[in-house]
Amino acid sequence: MRARSRCAAVLGRVLFKLLEATQKSWRRLDGHNQLPKLVLRVTFNDGIEVIAKPTDRQPTTAAA
């Protein structure tokens, strides 16, 4: 067995074991159902969706 392929095999086993150990501590994201809103660039503040107030209102004036 060549040294390079042996090194790659050892490295592959080490990386596999590292990923296996890390996976045990992973958890599901809180609010994973909000991900589509993030893609649409919805703004959140402390986990609450910020709803922009419309600023295009025209002041109503009485016709003379």
Side-chain angles (χ1 to χ4, degrees):
M1 187 178 233
R2 291 183 5 195
R4 218 164 60 179
S5 61
R6 182 176 177 173
C7 181
V10 170
L11 181 60
R13 279 191 297 244
V14 169
L15 287 175
F16 176 76
K17 290 293 184 181
L18 180 63
L19 285 173
E20 212 174 34
T22 305
Q23 192 174 19
K24 291 177 184 175
S25 65
W26 286 352
R27 65 180 182 91
R28 182 176 219 146
L29 289 174
D30 291 336
H32 64 278
N33 57 335
Q34 302 291 352
L35 290 176
K37 289 184 179 182
L38 286 176
V39 171
L40 296 173
R41 298 183 182 258
V42 172
T43 306
F44 290 88
N45 187 9
D46 291 330
I48 300 172
E49 184 177 345
V50 176
I51 299 174
K53 296 179 182 176
T55 58
D56 60 335
R57 293 185 187 176
Q58 295 294 327
T60 54
T61 57

